[in-house]
Amino acid sequence: MGHGVIGPHEGPGTVAQVDTPANIVGAYLSSFATGDPDAVAACVTSDFVNEHLSELGSSCQGRDEYRRRLPDFLSTFAGARYSIVALAEIASPGAGDAVVRYRFEATSEGTPIDIPGVMWFDVRDGLVARRTDLWDSLTFLRQTGRAD
């Protein structure tokens, strides 16, 4: 883990691009703004683990199951966009390859939301192999008028 993947040369005399965990994670998070489930699913491994630590989150395993759930997620959260507040690669074995502090912005049932969170990522062979997501469920409930 933690090793970059060498990408294609862009032209004669150029240096191959190395995709670091930070670049791979950034591309994955950016893919949500496309609104295309295939673009998002293309960023993860076939054995992808999508773990949610928040009460309202729903975990799953495998690219196929993740892809099956994406259309509902993307329609529930119209205009979904992750903004990276801070991103760090991790050098400790077993600790993951990158951690991101983010803000998730979208519209949920006509209501704009802006939710803070943190994700830990494992990257393998140029793809996201595991995402562990911890987001602020109470802020979401308050912003959507569902908090007690």
Side-chain angles (χ1 to χ4, degrees):
M1 282 194 214
H3 298 286
V5 175
I6 298 177
H9 293 277
E10 295 299 320
T14 62
V15 177
Q17 173 186 348
V18 176
D19 283 327
T20 64
N23 290 341
I24 292 162
V25 165
Y28 166 70
L29 292 175
S30 293
S31 72
F32 284 87
T34 69
D36 179 0
D38 290 325
V40 177
C43 295
V44 304
T45 62
S46 62
D47 61 345
F48 174 64
V49 175
N50 183 34
E51 178 183 25
H52 282 273
L53 301 180
S54 299
E55 275 304 308
L56 299 178
S58 176
S59 301
C60 69
Q61 187 161 357
R63 181 191 301 136
D64 292 342
E65 177 61 14
Y66 183 60
R67 169 59 182 86
R68 188 188 71 72
R69 293 176 174 209
L70 281 168
D72 186 50
F73 175 82
L74 293 170
S75 66
T76 299
F77 298 104
R81 183 170 51 92
Y82 287 96
S83 299
I84 296 172
V85 175
L87 188 152
E89 290 189 26
I90 303 170
S92 300
D97 293 313
V99 64
V100 173
R101 188 171 144 227
Y102 69 86
R103 300 209 62 97
F104 177 71
E105 297 171 84
T107 302
S108 176
E109 297 179 4
T111 301
I113 60 169
D114 181 354
I115 311 297
V118 175
M119 288 186 211
W120 293 262
F121 290 93
D122 292 339
V123 174
R124 184 176 70 241
D125 300 326
L127 298 170
V128 174
R130 181 181 195 96
R131 168 184 118 160
T132 302
D133 191 358
L134 178 59
W135 51 279
D136 189 344
S137 299
L138 182 56
T139 294
F140 171 76
L141 291 173
R142 285 179 176 154
Q143 289 179 5
T144 58
R146 297 179 200 166
D148 292 330

